[in-house]
Amino acid sequence: MGRKFFVGGNWKCNGTSEEVKKIVSTLNAGEVPSQDVVEVVVSPPFVFLQLVKSLLRPDFHVAAQNCWVKKGGAFTGEVSAEMLVNLGIPWVILGHSERRLILGESNEFVGDKVAYALAQGLKVIACVGETLEQRESGSTMDVVAAQTKAIAERVSDWSNVVLAYEPVWAIGTGKVATPAQAQEVHSELRKWLQVNTSPEVAATIRIIYGGSVSGANCKELAAKPDVDGFLVGGASLKPEFIDIIKSAEVKKNA
Ligand SMILES: O=C[C@H](O)COP(=O)(O)O
């Protein structure tokens, strides 16, 4: 069976409750392919998770944007994986570059988080990606392999993981990776997984692309064989997110 197309909307630290309700009503009215064709997950800030979950159409799901690395306790400001499970939040985004680079989350810390969240029953969108400097110095694959390795050393069952390749230079910059650049890294990541996890994991895991994805560029990216969907930032707050979800049809017709 093929890999089901996956579209995530990462709302980051944006929105008021009024704005969030408006985004949800646009999503709810959108005509998109069925759940057999595309899996859609939106990720509002923690404080709006319950509101969004209560209003969102049943064929779309919600994700948190982070969770704590181990069992909750005296960790001021953190939200534990157990709390997300308790509230019926099925997904969590971990290892986003904004957390790696601004908040100093190391590869090992992200790997620990992924393992802990999975063990609690959450599904994980695990993010990897290189900076512009790393790309220009030719170390893209070393960087994303090291980030993925830190997860692979801690996780044996990848069935609840979606891997998001998000080149840092493409995030929020309007400078999208070309379809060929995305395909190259996705294909290399799949090869890395084949050697370092198993051929089955490599063949079945969804590797999605993130970084300035828009309604205008999504179809060309989606047409690439190893691009299994998107993690969308800015455009996930806009009606064009529906067009991005619809790009799943490209795959269906491929
Ligand atoms: O998680 C999403 C990515 O950071 C992409 O953000 P962007 O679509 O605004 O470039």
Side-chain angles (χ1 to χ4, degrees):
M1 212 178 79
R3 299 181 293 265
K4 192 194 287 187
F5 205 75
F6 184 100
V7 179
N10 177 7
W11 297 358
K12 307 193 178 184
C13 187
N14 287 297
T16 60
S17 53
E18 290 71 30
E19 286 163 350
V20 160
K21 282 182 199 161
K22 215 171 147 205
I23 296 169
V24 172
S25 74
T26 304
L27 293 177
N28 288 352
E31 283 181 32
V32 298
S34 80
Q35 287 184 82
D36 299 336
V37 175
V38 61
E39 185 166 7
V40 181
V41 173
V42 294
S43 188
F46 281 127
V47 291
F48 298 128
L49 273 169
Q50 283 287 67
L51 174 68
V52 172
K53 188 174 184 297
S54 69
L55 299 174
L56 194 64
R57 55 196 289 170
D59 54 336
F60 288 8
H61 299 284
V62 287
Q65 295 176 17
N66 179 39
C67 67
W68 183 232
V69 66
K70 56 185 175 182
K71 191 170 162 50
F75 305 105
T76 303
E78 290 294 333
V79 170
S80 71
E82 292 87 347
M83 291 170 190
L84 298 177
V85 171
N86 179 247
L87 294 183
I89 309 300
W91 285 92
V92 63
I93 298 172
L94 294 172
H96 193 281
S97 63
E98 285 147 17
R99 298 200 63 86
R100 290 179 186 266
L101 298 172
I102 303 170
L103 296 157
E105 294 193 1
S106 67
N107 291 353
E108 295 68 30
F109 189 67
V110 172
D112 285 344
K113 280 189 171 192
V114 173
Y116 190 77
L118 289 172
Q120 302 316 304
L122 290 169
K123 296 187 263 194
V124 174
I125 302 165
C127 306
V128 298
E130 83 288 0
T131 62
L132 183 59
E133 198 183 8
Q134 290 163 336
R135 172 160 284 261
E136 285 175 345
S137 69
S139 55
T140 296
M141 256 333 282
D142 292 343
V143 171
V144 299
Q147 291 167 336
T148 310
K149 181 167 178 269
I151 299 170
E153 284 169 347
R154 293 159 174 83
V155 166
S156 51
D157 182 354
W158 288 74
S159 51
N160 284 330
V161 180
V162 167
L163 196 56
Y165 168 58
E166 300 204 306
V168 178
W169 47 271
I171 295 178
T173 57
K175 196 180 168 197
V176 66
T178 64
Q181 283 173 323
Q183 169 60 25
E184 183 185 20
V185 177
H186 286 219
S187 150
E188 288 297 319
L189 269 173
R190 217 178 282 290
K191 280 186 210 150
W192 188 93
L193 287 163
Q194 181 160 9
V195 173
N196 295 283
T197 61
S198 73
E200 202 216 332
V201 169
T204 55
I205 193 166
R206 270 100 46 101
I207 306 179
I208 63 175
Y209 168 79
S212 296
V213 175
S214 69
N217 60 33
C218 58
K219 280 192 188 163
E220 245 194 309
L221 286 159
K224 290 294 176 189
D226 287 297
V227 174
D228 303 317
F230 302 114
L231 185 57
V232 186
S236 71
L237 300 163
K238 302 178 190 160
E240 71 183 289
F241 189 59
I242 296 291
D243 298 324
I244 298 172
I245 298 169
K246 283 184 186 161
S247 70
E249 295 284 0
V250 171
K251 217 51 138 193
K252 200 179 135 200
N253 301 327

